[in-house]
Amino acid sequence: MSLDDFHLSTFLPYRLAVLSERVSKRLSVEYGRTHGLAVAEWRVLVHLLRCGAVSVRDIHNCVNLEKPRVSRAVTRLEAEGLVQKTPGAHDGRLVAISLTKKGHAALADILPVATRIEESLTHAVSPDDLKTFFDVMEAMHAVLDADPEAKPRTSLDLAQTQE
Amino acid sequence: MSLDDFHLSTFLPYRLAVLSERVSKRLSVEYGRTHGLAVAEWRVLVHLLRCGAVSVRDIHNCVNLEKPRVSRAVTRLEAEGLVQKTPGAHDGRLVAISLTKKGHAALADILPVATRIEESLTHAVSPDDLKTFFDVMEAMHAVLDADPEAKPRTSLDLAQTQE
DNA sequence: TCAATATCATTTCATTTGCAACGATTTTTA
DNA sequence: TAAAAATCGTTGCAAATGAAATGATATTGA
């Protein structure tokens, strides 16, 4: 292929990055405006909703955030009163992080909005095409899973594929 | 929908972010190792290959990078000798940025590797499914185009859709 | 039992990032 | 033509980020 035939705007990694960033930013407008949440905080809250009281390490392993980023997100969320930290019962190193009532209420506020935005995107195409879309994403993940240079998937993202 | 039915791992914005980041990181391994390039520098180089001598503003408008980030990427690339800055001929405010021989050579090195990685991903699915995949991405962009809260697309990414 | 190793959450530090402000130049308008 | 407004690239600054180090606690193995 000649060098000059290369188009950035048709390059898969670039296209993925552009769409992903655009979607994320659109979403941030909502939960930033309503509750002052950043992406990391949003992910932590949602994970807690499903998994109850968990450690920083567990969140890190599940939602694709580096450990320090999780730790800082939890600190901010605790300061806002949306989560609480309890010293580990059996293991003094662990911290059990869980939603407070206020955190639960915040999620009840934001989740419908987030879901509505997601649906505005998914409803723009047919169910068949949407399924193909996710299948393709999964196929690309599978390629990376087999690539020793690629970062491994989190346990939770892997579990997702086995439904 | 009950709150507890919400799965982060099936949430479209999250899935996009995870795949995009994974692909970008895989790519960074290559052009980081071979030429010490970051994503912004990579995008600038590739844009210059297509568009010759252009301004910072033009790059900013084309490759989805904030203006200061472009400016800093260009500074680094110039220090490495991969691009050159020429004072604008007709407009003293403008700077004409273009590839040097060394920059061209670096691209000749990296582009085949980047293309190979891209193909390892796209070849994992049928051409039909891949077309559907990109059609769905475009449909989602179209939704955001109609959303006043969303950030507009760059001119180049828009032009891409009209082929 | 107790020293060596491993694990957990946090913090430190250097770097990156984006917003806003800036000086310099050009264009517009009165 | 002269002043006002707009545009260009860069820089200041505060916040975010990731890698590595740290202190604290658990676990392992001699």
Side-chain angles (χ1 to χ4, degrees), chain A residues 26-160:
Chain A
R26 175 62 187 89
L27 209 60
S28 294
V29 172
E30 296 303 331
Y31 51 63
R33 178 166 50 200
T34 51
H35 291 86
L37 298 179
V39 174
E41 282 133 41
W42 155 260
R43 287 193 193 172
V44 169
L45 283 182
V46 171
H47 181 67
L48 291 180
L49 183 62
R50 298 227 77 223
C51 298
V54 293
S55 65
V56 169
R57 169 66 93 181
D58 175 81
I59 301 175
H60 159 66
N61 280 335
C62 289
V63 303
N64 266 287
L65 295 172
E66 295 303 313
K67 221 176 9 161
R69 212 169 151 196
V70 173
S71 179
R72 283 155 178 155
V74 168
T75 299
R76 277 189 293 260
L77 289 170
E78 189 188 25
E80 300 285 334
L82 301 181
V83 308
Q84 57 199 352
K85 288 200 280 193
T86 316
H90 301 308
D91 188 329
R93 296 167 303 177
L94 294 173
V95 181
I97 301 155
S98 55
L99 287 177
T100 61
K101 279 223 163 116
K102 191 175 170 191
H104 215 274
L107 274 178
D109 246 18
I110 305 171
L111 272 182
V113 181
T115 302
R116 192 173 48 70
I117 292 181
E118 181 190 29
E119 284 175 352
S120 78
L121 296 170
T122 56
H123 288 15
V125 300
S126 74
D128 274 359
D129 285 356
L130 192 64
K131 171 162 182 7
T132 301
F133 178 74
F134 284 127
D135 286 347
V136 170
M137 289 183 74
E138 173 54 30
M140 292 178 178
H141 269 302
V143 170
L144 295 174
D145 290 339
D147 184 341
E149 298 277 13
K151 184 176 144 195
R153 263 196 277 190
T154 67
S155 51
L156 218 159
D157 293 335
L158 253 175
Q160 157 55 21

Side-chain angles (χ1 to χ4, degrees), chain B residues 5 7 14 16 44 55 60 62 83 88 93 95 110 112 118 134 146:
Chain B
D5 291 337
H7 294 232
Y14 174 75
L16 276 173
V44 169
S55 65
H60 159 65
C62 289
V83 308
R93 296 168 302 177
V95 181
I110 306 171
E118 181 191 30
F134 285 126

